Amino acid sequence: MNAAVRPGPRSVDAVDLSVSIGGLRLRNPVMPASGTFGEGLGKALDFSRLGAFVTKTVTRELRAGNPLPRVVERPSSLINAIGIPSRGVPYFIAQTMPHYAAFDTPLVVSISAPTAEGFASLAAELSIPGIAAIEANISCPNIEEDGKAFAMRAESTERVTRLLRAATELPVWVKLTPNTGDVPEVARAAEAAGADAVVVANTILSMAIDLKTFKPCLGNIMGGLSGPAIKPIVLRQVFQCAKAVTIPIIGCGGIATAEDAVEYMLAGASAVQVGTATFLQPAAMTTIIDDLAAFCLHREIPRVTDLIRGVVIEEADEPDLSWLDPLP
Amino acid sequence: MNAAVRPGPRSVDAVDLSVSIGGLRLRNPVMPASGTFGEGLGKALDFSRLGAFVTKTVTRELRAGNPLPRVVERPSSLINAIGIPSRGVPYFIAQTMPHYAAFDTPLVVSISAPTAEGFASLAAELSIPGIAAIEANISCPNIEEDGKAFAMRAESTERVTRLLRAATELPVWVKLTPNTGDVPEVARAAEAAGADAVVVANTILSMAIDLKTFKPCLGNIMGGLSGPAIKPIVLRQVFQCAKAVTIPIIGCGGIATAEDAVEYMLAGASAVQVGTATFLQPAAMTTIIDDLAAFCLHREIPRVTDLIRGVVIEEADEPDLSWLDPLP
Amino acid sequence: MPIELEPLQACPPPAAVAGPPACAPWKASVVAELAEVVRNEPVNAEYRHLVVSCSEAAAQAQPGQFFQLLCPQPAGEQPFLRRPMSLYGADPAERQVAFLYKVTGAGTRGLDTLRTGDRLDIMGPLGVGFRLDPRWRRIIAVGRGAGLATLAPLARAAKANGTEVTAIFSARRPELLVSVALFERHGAEVIAVTDSESTSGPANVERILRREIAERGCDAFFTCGSSRLMRVQQRLAREFGLPGQVAMEQQMACGIGLCYCCVRDFNRDGEIVSRRVCWDGPVFDLMEALP
Amino acid sequence: MPIELEPLQACPPPAAVAGPPACAPWKASVVAELAEVVRNEPVNAEYRHLVVSCSEAAAQAQPGQFFQLLCPQPAGEQPFLRRPMSLYGADPAERQVAFLYKVTGAGTRGLDTLRTGDRLDIMGPLGVGFRLDPRWRRIIAVGRGAGLATLAPLARAAKANGTEVTAIFSARRPELLVSVALFERHGAEVIAVTDSESTSGPANVERILRREIAERGCDAFFTCGSSRLMRVQQRLAREFGLPGQVAMEQQMACGIGLCYCCVRDFNRDGEIVSRRVCWDGPVFDLMEALP
Ligand SMILES: Cc1cc2nc3c(=O)[nH]c(=O)nc-3n(C[C@H](O)[C@H](O)[C@H](O)COP(=O)(O)OP(=O)(O)OC[C@H]3O[C@@H](n4cnc5c(N)ncnc54)[C@H](O)[C@@H]3O)c2cc1C
Ligand SMILES: Cc1cc2nc3c(=O)[nH]c(=O)nc-3n(C[C@H](O)[C@H](O)[C@H](O)COP(=O)(O)OP(=O)(O)OC[C@H]3O[C@@H](n4cnc5c(N)ncnc54)[C@H](O)[C@@H]3O)c2cc1C
Ligand SMILES: Cc1cc2nc3c(=O)[nH]c(=O)nc-3n(C[C@H](O)[C@H](O)[C@H](O)COP(=O)(O)O)c2cc1C
Ligand SMILES: Cc1cc2nc3c(=O)[nH]c(=O)nc-3n(C[C@H](O)[C@H](O)[C@H](O)COP(=O)(O)O)c2cc1C
Ligand code: FES
Ligand code: FES
């Protein structure tokens, strides 16, 4: 960036961190990933600083969630099979929403249902004041048998998105699964059906076996992998989706630092969701926001949106070996 | 296991480590993963102890491989975009095979070609004395554009496997990609077309971006993820494939210890391949073999084949919380 | 049997855990901080005593609360999650907190590598601790294993309230008992029962409890570390109409109520409800706990 | 331009690197071992000197060879791969090897955390080192940056051969020069050039080289650490018909010829061939090297 042509910001406060996701303006691109956020986090970080709130996935019916154990750790990662314990919509409206009402941070509600129609009617029911967008979790690998979900195929994604689009005036974000062989194709289907944004991605279907008992480590046998281990995979999918769609992409998978967020934005994300990192550092999101501003300041980037899709792809030429030669 | 009914082995030497992979008898289930093995390793471990040799993928034509940089590390993982630098078949026969000729360890040659016919004719050409099996690398994510490969779809897998089956008398192992949404389906196609075994799996397509230059960290832009980070994902795929096919499965992905190998065998693998772990510990494979025998001895398992598909899946009942109560 | 969730009507109106931005400037009440290791040394063959100096807020931790420790990586192992550890002791004046831990797996092996002066990332204080009623004259605490660590800060807190404490401590062998001196220092009476002396069985513990209740009275039960002993206390609490509290353990990821991996079932007025140990507990009503 | 591979006819018949099982019992010549840190201390603002005690085989490492170090994890970072480090010195009698490293990233930051008595997993010796012809009377070594570490063991080896050494050492500032004392201790003459004194430019180095060749003669060139200086030597080597060797660097994964990530292009008789720095090098014929 040429500082003479376009002067960089002079302080972190001068960096414009705001982003727009399908009509929804966020004060910054950093928000929680569904299922890793709740009111308890208000003890550890200042809710008024987040780009958005994203709730744990809500279902219409009461759900108990999966049998225990529900998590197992692996190198640089976590496998979870929490399932979607849900107390239903009335509880959500009466007991969960009030926690976030006092903040002017947009509240995004994640929803799930066993059928496309169920998604649509749930979205309609939750299109109420206080909710800023619907995130359709069509990708949770634990719900459907053997990890199958709507987001595994373009056709089913298209159908559920179309019904959702018709059911609500709110922005619709569609959360994709990384478990399919062609994520860009599914993203394209979501875009075609009217999604305002895609979230790339949910957890990667995984397994672990206990070597004492020879039983699966998780009560649900399989679960979803999250954390730093999956970042290179999901980052690639964001990069591929950025070539397939023009709607905003929200990157999600292994983000723990501002550098991770920048990497995702360069690959094509307009915003990012932080999940597992919050379990290790409860203030991870506000640290990322601060460091993101510092990064932009340092690199003389006035607006964080300048990072989006900023990865530099060159024609394959001579490999850059300059780091091998310390001479000036 | 009831020791009274079936006495455990009395020493590590009494543990029967041998396995049979589609007619090929191996002295133990531990072998290298293609592309992570070569004659140089003979300096660090005793070749005569390995279950098999598996060569770097060979192509008919001369290939230069990918531009540099070719690897980048990530938490608990490596991303590589080596490509398949290959000196062609005559070089392989004249210069590579002799390194392994003196050992009575089966030599498995990994092959790749741009077409199904190419695979078949290469397999025919390499069906010569000294070669014990053909491993068809129909999954390398770096060759085809944007990571696409034969193994992404059941139909193309079926076709290439059928041609391979017709082209050679040697056992045919088909190496699958973890990048498709339905690995068991692809495995089933390979089995139906006559594969003697499937290798599950190759690397997971990934990306990393350099935050100094904003360029991809790899010359090839994208590359394949390997190492401990991918183990839970590939282990899950082996478990799923074990439900789909009856031919032997060779597990490959993130195996670094005998415990990892056992986990794979319990999930359904009959043998395992070790890749990235060798880069960190050059003698990893022989350590795994030793520790595997010790594991079996300790657990009173007379034959390593007893582990295959041994994962214990119970009806979901009360969660086991016994570890929370230290009382006897 | 499907796990039933807490029914709607049973829930109290949500308490605002974080003030809205309009009010006072926001301040964290749970902090992950780099504490400095003051001491980390063996207590016996199984347990280690770890003292760290920390922030004022952390040193305000109450008995029964816990911290989530980001354990260092021992050679060749990579614990990923934090590990929950009960407060063993707190010194708000010196700004120190102490833990008593048993080396069991990767995380605690990592803790074991800490040397004086090293930094340890501690997150807390977390969860709902013990409630002590100042009117209670005498309480009985029963613990086993790592449960003794959790009960330990009760002794001091009860003394400050003028409440007498009898502790029944259970262990495999006498030399593995911990916290005895600490309890006695605060005037508590400690009755040790062990497997090696065949005194730790539920029947004998029940005998001791009945004797204590009969001879010296008891206003409340506390327990941690053994569901068999908990069941004995539940029976006696029902029989004698005593209140009771139990500190539960469960595997945790977030430690702060977000992930729902730490749920356990509780019996609330005949209904089975699922609650988060990290957020609704770890201290629960003795009568609601299910083993 | 597509990279061409080494043509078939140019390859020597394969040398059996591992004896067949029938011969003598197999013995590892490359070992990953836990060496004990003897010393790890700063040399100047940028470089650290690390000495470890190791096996007999490791201590047999030759000048120009390298080790792959499994660096400890510094706080918050997780180097995954091993890191290549040239042999800086070896003492077969004491069974010690030494490294000289610059702290640049996660791996070397991890090395920097090592204390005396800690264990470090070292793998080696690896690669093809420098070849010294006992008939040479005088050689000139030119190095810069970490290249000085790689050239360092030449001084002693040349002296053992009765070969005189002139070293031209380049650095940003005089106080960042390393290995000067070591070279002088072995009787070598060291000419220092630096950026801060504006003496390190290729033109000046060429002037010094021409003077040295003219005044005292030279039988071979050695170089490491700067492709600009390498180009100067290549030109002069061609002009004066001198043999030369260059130690190259490249990112490595396996370090033992398996993965092909460390390839560089070389000019072999007019043909561009790709070779593995870890296996075919790191020391290569000066005239074949491409910058
Ligand atoms: C609220 C609470 C307070 C605790 N206080 C103490 C204490 O003061 N002293 C003490 O020695 N121990 C205490 N524990 C148990 C302690 O957390 C475990 O011993 C520790 O997590 C084991 O970790 P590890 O890596 O060494 O073992 P591993 O078995 O390798 O751990 C694997 C996983 O299981 C979990 N886990 C293993 N055992 C337990 C357990 N008993 N409870 C919960 N999670 C477990 C670990 O956290 C980790 O996620 C407490 C647990 C809880 C929930
Ligand atoms: C044969 C050989 C001998 C070497 N000898 C020395 C020596 O004696 N002293 C010394 O200070 N340095 C030496 N180097 C360079 C040293 O390997 C790197 O400085 C080191 O790997 C950097 O690791 P890092 O994690 O600190 O840096 P990072 O930049 O975080 O490393 C990231 C990745 O790039 C690789 N990398 C970074 N710089 C280099 C480099 N210059 N060469 C090769 N790979 C690199 C790393 O190995 C790692 O894979 C040598 C390199 C080679 C190939
Ligand atoms: C404990 C846990 C619970 C989760 N629950 C949900 C959920 O209810 N709905 C959903 O869409 N994603 C859920 N996820 C997935 C996360 O939102 C996120 O997509 C994933 O964890 C990858 O991001 P990360 O690596 O930053 O954690 C959950 C993840 C974890 C770890
Ligand atoms: C550097 C490197 C090169 C590889 N080259 C090949 C190859 O040529 N052919 C192939 O089928 N797989 C290749 N692979 C994939 C491995 O064989 C293996 O499937 C993968 O690395 C997963 O196993 P791991 O986690 O044990 O490394 C390569 C992997 C690496 C790391
Ligand atoms: S540990 Fe996450 S909710 Fe309790
Ligand atoms: S580092 Fe693997 S071939 Fe050189």
Side-chain angles (χ1 to χ4, degrees):
Chain A
M1 221 145 289
N2 190 328
V5 176
R6 182 159 132 191
R10 280 204 226 136
S11 72
V12 284
D13 297 326
V15 176
D16 181 1
L17 287 182
S18 69
V19 297
S20 170
I21 305 295
L24 193 63
R25 192 107 200 124
L26 310 183
R27 63 170 73 89
N28 64 59
V30 181
M31 67 186 93
S34 175
T36 66
F37 181 69
E39 67 268 21
L41 200 59
K43 292 189 170 192
L45 57 72
D46 182 355
F47 276 179
S48 66
R49 298 201 54 215
L50 297 179
F53 300 132
V54 182
T55 70
K56 171 86 187 161
T57 299
V58 177
T59 58
R60 160 150 305 112
E61 69 285 8
L62 291 175
R63 294 172 59 98
N66 286 326
L68 270 64
R70 290 180 168 186
V71 297
V72 57
E73 65 177 16
R74 281 295 180 255
S76 306
S77 62
L78 177 70
I79 318 180
N80 91 79
I82 305 291
I84 306 203
S86 170
R87 294 189 164 103
V89 176
Y91 182 95
F92 175 78
I93 294 174
Q95 303 290 330
T96 305
M97 283 184 63
H99 289 293
Y100 309 107
F103 302 89
D104 65 345
T105 306
L107 176 65
V108 180
V109 57
S110 168
I111 63 167
S112 183
T115 63
E117 287 77 13
F119 263 103
S121 68
L122 189 51
E125 196 171 343
L126 285 164
S127 297
I128 54 176
I131 296 203
I134 303 281
E135 177 175 294
N137 172 14
I138 63 166
S139 55
C140 182
N142 301 325
I143 303 174
E144 320 283 326
E145 193 202 336
D146 220 35
K148 288 283 187 311
F150 290 93
M152 289 295 286
R153 288 180 33 240
E155 297 72 32
S156 40
T157 300
E158 162 124 33
R159 172 140 193 280
V160 66
T161 309
R162 209 172 283 291
L163 292 184
L164 277 165
R165 177 69 297 159
T168 179
E169 298 280 297
L170 290 175
V172 172
W173 301 357
V174 176
K175 185 165 178 181
L176 306 185
T177 179
N179 294 312
T180 177
D182 201 345
V183 181
E185 180 67 22
V186 176
R188 221 181 273 122
E191 178 175 49
D196 295 284
V198 283
V199 182
V200 178
N202 213 306
T203 52
I204 305 184
L205 194 62
S206 290
M207 188 174 181
I209 299 175
D210 184 315
L211 292 188
K212 279 210 209 86
T213 62
F214 288 7
K215 291 189 211 170
C217 295
L218 296 172
N220 191 50
I221 304 175
M222 293 186 278
L225 196 70
S226 63
I230 71 169
K231 197 188 72 172
I233 301 170
V234 183
L235 185 83
R236 176 265 300 180
Q237 295 180 336
V238 166
F239 175 74
Q240 291 178 317
C241 286
K243 293 193 272 184
V245 300
T246 61
I247 53 173
I249 299 164
I250 300 164
C252 177
I255 296 168
T257 66
E259 284 71 32
D260 296 332
V262 171
E263 214 178 332
Y264 266 96
M265 295 187 78
L266 293 172
S270 297
V272 295
Q273 295 186 342
V274 178
T276 306
T278 294
F279 299 170
L280 302 186
Q281 291 299 346
M285 284 187 281
T286 42
T287 307
I288 290 173
I289 294 165
D290 291 338
D291 293 351
L292 197 54
F295 181 92
C296 290
L297 176 68
H298 178 67
R299 298 293 289 266
E300 306 191 351
I301 294 166
R303 289 174 303 267
V304 78
T305 51
D306 295 337
L307 292 169
I308 301 169
R309 296 167 182 255
V311 61
V312 177
I313 307 286
E314 285 172 351
E315 284 301 301
D317 49 14
E318 294 299 294
D320 173 23
L321 296 175
S322 56
W323 52 284
L324 288 171
D325 187 356
L327 256 193
Chain B
M1 218 146 285
N2 191 330
V5 177
R6 187 158 132 191
R10 280 203 226 137
S11 72
V12 285
D13 296 327
V15 176
D16 180 1
L17 288 181
S18 68
V19 297
S20 169
I21 305 293
L24 193 62
R25 192 109 200 124
L26 310 183
R27 63 170 72 89
N28 64 58
V30 181
M31 67 185 93
S34 174
T36 66
F37 181 71
E39 67 270 22
L41 200 59
K43 291 189 171 191
L45 56 72
D46 182 354
F47 276 178
S48 66
R49 297 202 53 216
L50 298 179
F53 300 132
V54 182
T55 70
K56 171 87 187 159
T57 299
V58 177
T59 59
R60 158 151 305 111
E61 70 285 12
L62 289 176
R63 296 172 58 99
N66 287 325
L68 270 62
R70 290 179 168 186
V71 296
V72 58
E73 63 177 16
R74 280 298 180 253
S76 306
S77 63
L78 176 70
I79 318 180
N80 91 79
I82 305 291
I84 305 202
S86 170
R87 292 191 166 100
V89 175
Y91 181 96
F92 175 80
I93 294 173
Q95 303 291 330
T96 305
M97 283 185 62
H99 288 293
Y100 309 107
F103 301 89
D104 65 346
T105 305
L107 176 64
V108 180
V109 58
S110 168
I111 63 168
S112 183
T115 62
E117 287 78 10
F119 264 103
S121 68
L122 188 51
E125 197 170 343
L126 284 164
S127 296
I128 54 176
I131 298 206
I134 303 280
E135 177 176 294
N137 173 13
I138 62 166
S139 57
C140 183
N142 302 324
I143 304 174
E144 320 285 325
E145 193 200 335
D146 219 37
K148 288 286 186 309
F150 290 94
M152 289 296 286
R153 289 181 32 242
E155 297 72 33
S156 40
T157 299
E158 162 121 34
R159 173 141 193 279
V160 66
T161 309
R162 208 172 284 290
L163 293 184
L164 276 164
R165 178 67 298 158
T168 179
E169 299 279 299
L170 289 177
V172 172
W173 301 357
V174 176
K175 186 166 177 183
L176 306 186
T177 177
N179 294 311
T180 176
D182 202 346
V183 181
E185 181 66 25
V186 177
R188 220 180 273 123
E191 177 175 49
D196 295 284
V198 284
V199 182
V200 179
N202 213 305
T203 53
I204 305 185
L205 193 63
S206 291
M207 186 174 184
I209 299 174
D210 184 317
L211 293 188
K212 279 210 208 85
T213 61
F214 288 6
K215 292 190 210 167
C217 295
L218 296 173
N220 190 49
I221 304 175
M222 294 185 278
L225 196 69
S226 63
I230 71 168
K231 197 189 72 172
I233 302 170
V234 183
L235 185 81
R236 176 264 300 179
Q237 296 179 336
V238 166
F239 175 73
Q240 291 179 318
C241 287
K243 293 193 274 183
V245 301
T246 59
I247 52 173
I249 298 164
I250 299 164
C252 177
I255 296 168
T257 66
E259 284 71 31
D260 296 332
V262 171
E263 215 179 332
Y264 267 96
M265 295 187 76
L266 291 173
S270 297
V272 295
Q273 294 185 344
V274 178
T276 306
T278 293
F279 298 171
L280 301 187
Q281 291 299 346
M285 284 188 282
T286 41
T287 307
I288 290 173
I289 294 165
D290 291 338
D291 293 351
L292 196 55
F295 180 94
C296 291
L297 176 66
H298 178 67
R299 298 294 289 266
E300 306 192 350
I301 294 166
R303 290 175 302 267
V304 78
T305 51
D306 295 336
L307 293 169
I308 301 168
R309 296 167 183 251
V311 61
V312 177
I313 306 287
E314 286 174 350
E315 282 304 301
D317 49 12
E318 294 299 295
D320 174 21
L321 296 174
S322 56
W323 51 287
L324 288 171
D325 186 357
L327 257 190
Chain C
M1 178 182 52
I3 304 166
E4 267 184 75
L5 291 151
E6 216 166 327
L8 189 54
Q9 66 279 13
C11 297
V17 290
C23 314
W26 177 87
K27 210 172 150 291
S29 59
V30 167
V31 180
E33 59 179 282
L34 284 177
E36 191 180 316
V37 175
V38 175
R39 233 196 337 274
N40 185 29
E41 53 205 21
V43 172
N44 58 35
E46 294 190 338
Y47 286 87
R48 306 274 181 281
H49 187 218
L50 170 65
V51 183
V52 302
S53 61
C54 59
S55 67
E56 201 182 322
Q60 300 290 342
Q62 296 299 310
Q65 285 193 301
F66 68 102
F67 285 79
Q68 282 268 76
L69 309 185
L70 198 58
C71 306
Q73 311 210 331
E77 295 181 297
Q78 303 194 27
F80 180 71
L81 296 170
R82 288 175 180 264
R83 299 297 195 254
M85 283 297 159
S86 295
L87 181 78
Y88 182 63
D91 186 336
E94 288 282 321
R95 296 197 183 171
Q96 293 187 342
V97 288
F99 305 98
L100 187 81
Y101 65 96
K102 185 175 165 182
V103 178
T104 44
T108 45
R109 270 193 290 274
L111 289 182
D112 195 29
T113 65
L114 289 169
R115 303 277 164 270
T116 300
D118 286 354
R119 308 251 151 197
L120 172 68
D121 186 330
I122 68 169
M123 165 185 166
L126 299 169
V128 177
F130 294 112
R131 285 157 301 257
L132 282 175
D133 189 325
R135 291 166 303 179
W136 289 338
R137 279 164 305 137
R138 192 148 170 283
I139 60 174
I140 302 182
V142 178
R144 183 175 164 97
L148 303 189
T150 309
L151 294 173
L154 266 185
R156 187 194 201 148
K159 193 182 181 194
N161 271 355
T163 303
E164 284 179 26
V165 179
T166 297
I168 305 178
F169 283 179
S170 171
R172 289 206 310 287
R173 296 189 307 275
E175 64 276 22
L176 294 177
L177 281 163
V178 287
S179 304
V180 176
L182 184 141
F183 267 71
E184 290 176 342
R185 203 179 320 132
H186 291 104
E189 181 204 8
V190 178
I191 302 166
V193 296
T194 65
D195 304 355
S196 62
E197 300 163 311
S198 303
T199 47
S200 61
N204 189 46
V205 170
E206 177 166 347
R207 208 185 44 75
I208 297 171
L209 282 170
R210 287 187 179 277
R211 184 193 68 203
E212 288 291 317
I213 295 167
E215 293 181 2
R216 315 210 277 160
C218 173
D219 293 310
F221 277 157
F222 290 81
T223 189
C224 183
S226 161
S227 50
R228 284 173 70 178
L229 298 183
M230 180 185 79
R231 279 195 291 270
V232 171
Q233 283 178 293
Q234 284 178 325
R235 218 168 34 241
L236 295 184
R238 196 168 292 117
E239 179 175 333
F240 293 97
L242 295 177
Q245 292 165 38
V246 55
M248 308 285 275
E249 287 185 13
Q250 184 57 289
Q251 189 189 17
M252 294 183 179
C254 72
I256 192 174
L258 315 175
C259 74
Y260 288 84
C261 83
C262 66
V263 294
R264 295 188 72 133
D265 288 345
F266 293 84
N267 181 337
R268 269 213 158 165
D269 306 321
E271 206 158 12
I272 305 296
V273 299
S274 155
R275 310 183 75 196
R276 291 161 291 181
V277 171
C278 74
W279 183 252
D280 303 305
V283 176
F284 292 92
D285 187 304
L286 176 64
M287 298 317 291
E288 295 183 355
L290 295 175
Chain D
M1 178 182 60
I3 305 165
E4 268 186 73
L5 292 152
E6 216 166 326
L8 189 55
Q9 65 280 13
C11 297
V17 290
C23 313
W26 177 87
K27 207 169 152 295
S29 59
V30 167
V31 180
E33 59 178 282
L34 284 177
E36 190 180 317
V37 175
V38 174
R39 228 188 351 265
N40 184 30
E41 52 205 21
V43 172
N44 59 33
E46 293 190 340
Y47 286 88
R48 307 273 181 285
H49 187 217
L50 170 66
V51 183
V52 301
S53 62
C54 60
S55 67
E56 199 181 324
Q60 300 289 341
Q62 296 299 310
Q65 285 193 302
F66 67 102
F67 285 79
Q68 283 268 73
L69 310 185
L70 197 58
C71 305
Q73 311 210 332
E77 294 181 298
Q78 304 194 25
F80 179 72
L81 296 171
R82 287 176 180 264
R83 300 294 194 255
M85 283 296 157
S86 294
L87 181 78
Y88 182 65
D91 186 336
E94 288 284 317
R95 296 199 182 170
Q96 293 188 339
V97 290
F99 305 98
L100 187 81
Y101 66 97
K102 185 175 166 184
V103 178
T104 44
T108 45
R109 270 193 291 274
L111 288 182
D112 195 28
T113 66
L114 289 170
R115 305 274 163 273
T116 301
D118 286 352
R119 308 252 151 196
L120 171 69
D121 185 331
I122 69 169
M123 165 186 166
L126 300 168
V128 177
F130 294 111
R131 285 156 301 257
L132 281 176
D133 188 324
R135 292 164 304 177
W136 290 338
R137 277 164 307 134
R138 195 151 165 280
I139 60 174
I140 303 183
V142 178
R144 184 175 164 98
L148 302 190
T150 309
L151 295 174
L154 265 185
R156 186 194 201 148
K159 191 177 180 196
N161 271 357
T163 304
E164 283 179 27
V165 178
T166 297
I168 305 178
F169 282 179
S170 171
R172 287 207 311 287
R173 296 190 305 276
E175 64 273 24
L176 295 179
L177 280 163
V178 286
S179 302
V180 175
L182 185 141
F183 267 72
E184 290 178 344
R185 203 178 321 133
H186 292 105
E189 180 203 8
V190 178
I191 302 167
V193 296
T194 65
D195 304 354
S196 62
E197 302 164 310
S198 304
T199 47
S200 61
N204 189 48
V205 171
E206 176 164 354
R207 208 186 43 76
I208 297 171
L209 283 170
R210 287 189 180 278
R211 185 193 67 203
E212 289 290 320
I213 294 167
E215 292 183 359
R216 316 209 277 162
C218 173
D219 294 310
F221 277 157
F222 290 81
T223 188
C224 184
S226 163
S227 50
R228 285 174 68 178
L229 298 182
M230 179 185 81
R231 278 193 294 267
V232 171
Q233 285 180 290
Q234 284 178 325
R235 216 167 38 240
L236 295 183
R238 196 167 292 116
E239 182 176 331
F240 293 98
L242 294 178
Q245 293 165 37
V246 55
M248 308 287 272
E249 288 185 13
Q250 184 57 286
Q251 188 191 16
M252 293 183 179
C254 72
I256 192 171
L258 315 175
C259 74
Y260 288 83
C261 83
C262 67
V263 294
R264 295 189 71 134
D265 288 346
F266 293 84
N267 182 336
R268 271 216 156 159
D269 306 320
E271 204 157 13
I272 305 296
V273 299
S274 155
R275 308 182 75 195
R276 290 161 290 180
V277 172
C278 74
W279 183 252
D280 302 306
V283 175
F284 293 92
D285 187 306
L286 176 65
M287 298 317 291
E288 297 184 355
L290 295 174

